[in-house]
């Protein structure tokens, strides 16, 4: 028989966080929270572990939030916790959280956040409660079921700063009909991709070989998979490493594909424009996030919806190493006055049962066991599911430099690629300058 939430949450809700917060989190101490029920009471037949408690949840305007809201009454009934929900657009959300946390607010108790965009800043400022003890001690939670790369994205300074709720990987989108007509196999390497792009590029007939993000900052996340697949990374230990031979090869491949085989105006394209022209039937190959697939397959948006193929990101010198990240996570406010009740919500919202329900609505979760269930993949095209599973196994847990000043770092990296796109041939001085800029950003992080 399936256990109710209040039955299996008993163990995790009775332990209390220690008075000292982990060094490096930005806070030196926090009040010890008292549990609201006697040990073991949560497991009794009729007890509600947190009767009368109220927590505040802040979400982004995101499909995951829409999927979780109808399920909240069940959680409230099981636990006695009242969940007050507010939602904001992404940029408004970051601003809202920053203002409240800077003022030392105890609310929101729990919130959606973007681990790779603001996670390090939030953690360094002492705004994210480490969740290691909660996750490891939670009864029947099966923390090891989360993919390694997803947890890597939400880990800062070796501490678990949040729990993954939405994942994504970079994949290759292609036109099945064009490849079939030309007798081209689906590219498995970057060399094969380049050859196929050249063969299918026919600008006189408004058919372009390749498209991807070309804007300076947006392109950085997508060029990352090229970087990793060539055996490079944005940083190596404490050193910036975007001027190495492997990095330059990756940047050159990406930049040249866009310079020579992309539609006009690619310098100004982010994902909406890239998917838009692919969906118009004017491009053979596109690399971008799997989470955006509906922009290519939805018949109301795409002229080639029935001809879209999906493939694992092509391999380079180091094999196929796409990014495989947590794009959205759930985190706990270190100032929350209801930490155990807040964890009860996080544990429920990221449990196997709830991840199954939210994933069925098309929200790609981080639990391997749910991807292995046929009923867990009904929200995705059948051809995409094995691509997602394979990418999660081989992927890298970040898609941008993991620094506090993410925007500055992305601009430094993007400058290299855009120089290639505009015809720069003497690339080493450009990369050296960008590498120094990234190193300065990294060094500045150490003093914060």
């Amino acid at each position: 028989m399936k256990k109710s939430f209040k039955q299996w949450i008993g163990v995790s809700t009775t332990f209390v966080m220690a008075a000292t917060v982990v060094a490096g989190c930005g806070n030196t101490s926090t009040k010890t929270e008292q549990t609201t029920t006697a040990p073991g009471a949560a497991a009794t037949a009729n007890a509600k572990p947190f009767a009368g408690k109220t927590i505040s949840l802040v979400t982004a305007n995101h499909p995951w939030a829409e999927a979780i809201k109808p399920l909240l009454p069940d959680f409230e009934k099981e636990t006695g916790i009242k969940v007050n929900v507010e939602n904001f657009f992404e940029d408004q959300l970051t601003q809202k959280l920053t203002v409240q946390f800077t003022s030392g607010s105890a609310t929101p108790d729990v919130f959606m956040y973007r681990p790779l965009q603001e996670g390090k800043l939030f953690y360094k400022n002492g705004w994210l409660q480490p969740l290691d003890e909660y996750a490891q001690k939670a009864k029947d939670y099966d923390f090891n079921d989360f993919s390694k790369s997803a947890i890597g994205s939400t880990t800062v300074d070796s501490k678990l700063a949040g729990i993954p709720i939405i994942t994504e990987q970079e994949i290759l989108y292609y036109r099945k009909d064009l490849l079939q007509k030309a007798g081209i196999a689906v590219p498995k390497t970057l060399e094969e991709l380049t050859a196929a792009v050249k063969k299918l590029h026919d600008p006189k007939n408004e058919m372009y070989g390749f498209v991807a993000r070309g804007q300076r900052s947006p392109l950085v996340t997508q060029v990352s998979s090229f970087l990793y697949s060539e055996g490079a990374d944005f940083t190596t230990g404490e050193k910036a490493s975007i001027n190495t031979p492997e990095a330059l090869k990756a940047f050159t491949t990406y930049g040249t594909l866009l310079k020579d085989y992309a539609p006009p105006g690619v310098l100004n394209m982010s994902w909406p424009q890239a998917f838009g022209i692919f969906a118009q039937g004017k491009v053979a190959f596109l690399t971008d996030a799997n989470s955006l697939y509906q922009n290519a397959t939805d018949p109301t948006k795409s002229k080639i919806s029935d001809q879209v193929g999906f493939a694992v990101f092509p391999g380079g010198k180091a094999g196929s190493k796409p990014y495989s990240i947590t794009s959205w996570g759930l985190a706990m406010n270190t100032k929350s006055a209801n930490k155990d009740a807040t964890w009860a919500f996080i544990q429920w919202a990221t449990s196997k049962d709830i991840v199954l329900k939210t994933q069925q609505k098309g929200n790609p979760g981080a639990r391997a066991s749910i991807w292995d269930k046929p009923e867990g993949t009904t929200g995705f095209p059948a051809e995409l599911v094995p691509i997602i599973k394979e990418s999660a196994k081989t992927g890298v847990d970040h898609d941008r430099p993991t620094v506090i000043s993410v925007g500055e770092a992305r601009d430094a990296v993007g400058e290299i690629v855009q120089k290639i796109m505009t015809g720069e041939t003497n690339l080493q001085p450009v990369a050296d300058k960008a590498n120094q800029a990234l190193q300065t950003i990294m060094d500045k992080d150490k003093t914060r």
Side-chain angles (χ1 to χ4, degrees), residues 135-413:
Q136 295 294 345
K137 293 183 179 181
K139 184 180 180 182
D140 293 344
Y141 186 53
D142 194 5
F143 180 66
N144 292 330
D145 187 40
F146 288 93
S147 77
K148 184 179 179 181
S149 59
I151 293 298
S153 297
T154 61
T155 299
V156 182
D157 294 345
S158 300
K159 289 295 176 181
L160 184 64
I163 302 293
I165 53 175
I166 297 293
T167 64
E168 67 180 34
Q169 298 85 25
E170 184 168 3
I171 65 170
L172 178 67
Y173 294 83
Y174 65 91
R175 285 278 300 277
K176 295 178 183 178
D177 53 336
L178 296 182
L179 268 64
Q180 185 176 12
K181 183 178 179 181
I184 298 174
V186 178
K188 293 185 178 181
T189 68
L190 290 173
E191 287 185 357
E192 290 176 0
L193 173 62
T194 300
V197 165
K198 288 181 180 179
K199 189 169 182 179
L200 294 174
H201 186 61
D202 186 13
K204 291 182 180 179
N205 292 306
E206 284 194 287
M207 176 55 64
Y208 303 93
F210 181 82
V211 73
R213 305 182 196 188
Q215 284 186 24
R216 182 175 175 180
S217 179
L219 71 82
V220 173
T221 57
Q222 306 312 304
V223 80
S224 67
S225 298
F226 288 77
L227 198 65
Y228 310 144
S229 296
E230 292 294 357
D233 205 331
F234 298 107
T235 61
T236 303
E238 299 296 316
K239 296 296 183 182
S241 56
I242 54 175
N243 63 343
T244 65
E246 294 82 5
L248 292 186
K249 182 178 180 182
F251 294 144
T252 298
T253 298
Y254 187 87
T256 301
L257 284 171
L258 292 179
K259 177 174 72 74
D260 293 343
Y261 306 107
V266 71
L267 270 168
N268 297 313
M269 289 185 185
S270 187
W271 72 262
Q273 296 80 20
F275 270 92
I277 198 161
F278 182 76
Q280 289 172 23
K282 296 183 178 181
V283 182
F285 292 98
L286 161 71
T287 57
D288 212 296
N290 62 329
S291 58
L292 299 170
Y293 75 89
Q294 289 183 345
N295 292 276
T297 61
D298 184 344
T300 65
K301 299 178 181 179
S302 176
K303 294 180 180 179
I304 43 91
S305 59
D306 60 342
Q307 295 297 337
V308 177
F310 313 104
V312 172
F313 188 83
K317 178 182 176 182
S320 174
K321 293 193 174 297
Y323 67 71
S324 178
I325 63 160
T326 296
S327 52
W328 286 98
L330 279 180
M332 183 191 299
N333 181 358
T334 55
K335 299 287 188 179
S336 170
N338 301 295
K339 285 193 173 71
D340 283 351
T342 298
W343 169 252
F345 172 79
I346 295 175
Q347 181 179 345
W348 168 81
T350 59
S351 67
K352 292 179 182 180
D353 287 346
I354 301 304
V355 171
L356 174 61
K357 292 177 180 178
T358 56
Q359 191 160 299
Q360 287 174 329
K361 297 291 186 180
N363 295 284
R367 285 189 173 274
S369 64
I370 306 304
W371 284 107
D372 287 336
K373 293 176 179 285
E375 62 269 33
T377 62
T378 56
F380 303 86
E383 293 179 40
L384 180 57
V385 173
I387 306 304
I388 293 174
K389 293 171 67 174
E390 181 64 24
S391 300
K393 292 177 183 177
T394 62
V396 177
D397 63 13
H398 56 284
D399 63 356
R400 65 203 76 183
T402 51
V403 295
I404 292 176
S405 301
V406 178
E408 292 179 43
R410 290 175 70 153
D411 282 345
V413 176

Side-chain angles (χ1 to χ4, degrees), residues 25-53:
C25 181
N27 291 7
T28 55
S29 65
T30 186
K31 292 181 180 179
T32 301
E33 184 186 17
Q34 299 299 318
T35 54
T36 59
T37 58
T44 63
N46 298 311
K48 290 188 177 182
F50 301 99
K53 287 282 188 178

Side-chain angles (χ1 to χ4, degrees), residues 240-245 247-248 251 412-413 415-417 419 424 426-440:
S241 56
I242 54 175
N243 63 343
T244 65
L248 292 186
F251 294 144
V413 176
E415 174 75 7
I416 302 173
V417 179
K419 286 290 187 182
E424 178 64 60
N426 188 15
L427 198 58
Q428 191 67 54
V430 175
D432 289 342
K433 182 180 178 181
N435 198 70
Q436 183 55 56
L438 179 55
Q439 186 64 54
T440 299

